[in-house]
Amino acid sequence: MRYRPLGPSGLLVSELCLGTMTFGGSEGMWGQIGQLRQDDADGLVKTAVDAGINFIDTANVYAGGESERILGQSLRNLGIARDEVVIATKVLGPMGEGINQRGASRYHIMEQCKQSLERLQLDHIDLYQIHGFDPMTPISETLEALTTLVQHGHVRYIGLSNWAAWQVMKAVGIAEARKLAPILSLQAYYTIAGRDLEREVVPMLRDTGMGLMVWSPLAGGLLSGKYDRDGKGSDGRRANFDFPPVEKDRAHDAIDAMRPMAEKRDASVAQIALAWLLHQEVVTSVIVGAKRKDQLTDNIAATEITLDAEELETLDKVSALPAEYPGWMLERQGGYRQR
């Protein structure tokens, strides 16, 4: 297990991050994603920590707060020292029926941070992330609320999730101009089956030095290699919850290219898909979630796979995005000015 700085900070996080979206679901969307109870969650957390994972991600909205509660109890049940793990959680989604029980307002952020700390049984959150963009709340209000939490010691670092590049840059500008807490990371969807992030967000991350946490690195299970082109062949999560959206033909072309790479290593297609992400310089940590210990163990083994230059080139070509404006024009006009 390797460790990387989280954005422009001295905080080191493991290249894999344990995701806890499978903890605590009972019905509806959360039940489809995962219904792990305390004992099973304890087993996954122990497996992750024993493998060297020091980074764990959750969110207040996962299973209506149950994911946070189970994670907090796991840390206690396993006797994991607070300074051995980096705990990340998120805020934005609805946590009740009230009109102010959602969003990125100061009101909601301050209240939800307090509730997350209670559920996690912690005195501080290491990385507090805004789970998505709130078009109603001024970015400055959101950033000032997060800065207050940092100043009060309830939060160590702040990040964003699912924001467009222009929104992130606007927030960075506001934070710098007003001397607010810096934004260390962005959590976003990125896979070999969905490289849309490379159009605008990846260049922004490279420019700012911000860290990237990748969610759903196996495209909701599609990149496990267990599904055929018509979606059949597995009763996994994707069969019941077809998310995130994927350009299926391009994804299966990538799977077809990864399969022989996996076979020659006696590895899984999922491991090759994760290894591809770990080879991308912009990636800080890849969030892996699981319902079973064997799934998590398989994912962790991806850290031992090295793809050679020829394999990376093959995967790059088969999964490449179609050219779009202004990207193709920027490349054409800027080619003779590259550093």
Side-chain angles (χ1 to χ4, degrees):
M1 189 68 60
R2 292 169 290 268
Y3 301 87
R4 301 168 179 172
L6 183 63
S9 80
L11 180 68
L12 294 175
V13 296
S14 49
E15 61 186 331
L16 293 184
C17 172
L18 178 64
T20 63
M21 192 184 286
T22 57
F23 292 10
S26 58
E27 57 186 22
M29 180 181 73
W30 302 117
Q32 292 175 340
I33 292 172
Q35 302 183 23
L36 297 186
R37 294 301 175 253
Q38 194 66 57
D39 287 347
D40 291 328
D42 288 356
L44 289 186
V45 173
K46 185 178 189 304
T47 297
V49 172
D50 287 349
I53 291 176
N54 75 338
F55 200 13
I56 306 177
D57 179 74
T58 186
N60 64 342
V61 76
Y62 292 169
E66 192 65 7
S67 173
E68 287 183 327
R69 189 198 66 75
I70 290 174
L71 172 59
Q73 192 60 47
S74 287
L75 297 176
R76 287 186 171 258
N77 290 350
L78 297 170
I80 297 173
R82 181 64 184 91
D83 59 1
E84 292 182 358
V85 288
V86 176
I87 303 299
T89 191
K90 301 182 285 291
V91 60
L92 179 83
M95 291 299 289
E97 297 300 322
I99 57 173
N100 286 313
Q101 291 179 299
R102 61 202 66 209
S105 68
R106 183 180 186 88
Y107 183 99
H108 188 59
I109 289 171
M110 303 299 282
E111 179 61 27
Q112 284 305 307
C113 181
K114 179 174 67 175
Q115 292 190 25
S116 287
L117 288 170
E118 291 176 356
R119 286 188 291 265
L120 289 164
Q121 302 181 62
L122 300 176
D123 64 359
H124 72 274
I125 294 163
D126 296 306
L127 178 66
Y128 202 36
Q129 306 156 98
I130 303 300
H131 208 163
F133 187 72
D134 179 358
M136 181 174 287
T137 303
I139 293 175
S140 57
E141 178 181 338
T142 298
L143 295 177
E144 287 168 356
L146 292 172
T147 299
T148 298
L149 291 173
V150 171
Q151 292 170 340
H152 289 181
H154 302 311
V155 168
R156 296 291 188 259
Y157 301 96
I158 66 172
L160 305 172
S161 178
N162 303 317
W163 284 39
W166 72 265
Q167 295 166 339
V168 176
M169 286 306 299
K170 187 173 182 179
V172 167
I174 292 171
E176 290 179 349
R178 302 192 182 191
K179 294 181 171 52
L180 303 175
I183 301 162
L184 284 197
S185 62
L186 176 70
Q187 187 175 146
Y189 169 66
Y190 186 35
T191 71
I192 195 170
R195 295 171 59 183
D196 310 73
L197 211 68
E198 295 175 9
R199 297 197 188 280
E200 298 283 350
V201 173
V202 166
M204 177 274 297
L205 293 172
R206 288 175 175 155
D207 182 67
T208 62
M210 198 175 294
L212 174 62
M213 298 167 62
V214 175
W215 61 261
S216 199
L218 298 179
L222 180 64
L223 296 177
S224 65
K226 299 176 182 177
Y227 299 87
D228 57 28
R229 286 183 180 264
D230 62 6
K232 299 178 181 178
S234 177
D235 59 356
R237 192 187 99 186
R238 192 99 199 180
N240 301 312
F241 185 55
D242 193 14
F243 183 86
V246 173
E247 207 291 301
K248 299 290 178 61
D249 286 338
R250 191 187 310 144
H252 282 285
D253 288 344
I255 292 170
D256 290 343
M258 290 189 290
R259 201 176 298 279
M261 298 178 190
E263 290 172 351
K264 79 175 187 178
R265 293 175 168 86
D266 193 25
S268 66
V269 172
Q271 288 172 0
I272 302 300
L274 293 172
W276 180 85
L277 278 170
L278 294 173
H279 280 71
Q280 307 308 305
E281 290 184 4
V282 74
V283 173
T284 304
S285 189
V286 176
I287 302 171
V288 291
K291 294 181 180 179
R292 304 189 312 271
K293 180 180 176 180
D294 64 289
Q295 291 175 328
L296 181 58
T297 300
D298 185 80
N299 289 346
I300 291 170
T303 61
E304 302 172 4
I305 292 177
T306 299
L307 301 173
D308 62 36
E310 184 178 352
E311 289 172 323
L312 289 170
E313 183 179 2
T314 296
L315 295 177
D316 182 62
K317 288 180 178 178
V318 78
S319 64
L321 295 169
E324 283 188 359
Y325 181 84
W328 53 260
M329 194 62 177
L330 292 171
E331 182 178 357
R332 179 184 178 88
Q333 292 183 318
Y336 57 89
R337 295 287 287 175
Q338 295 292 331
R339 295 181 179 178

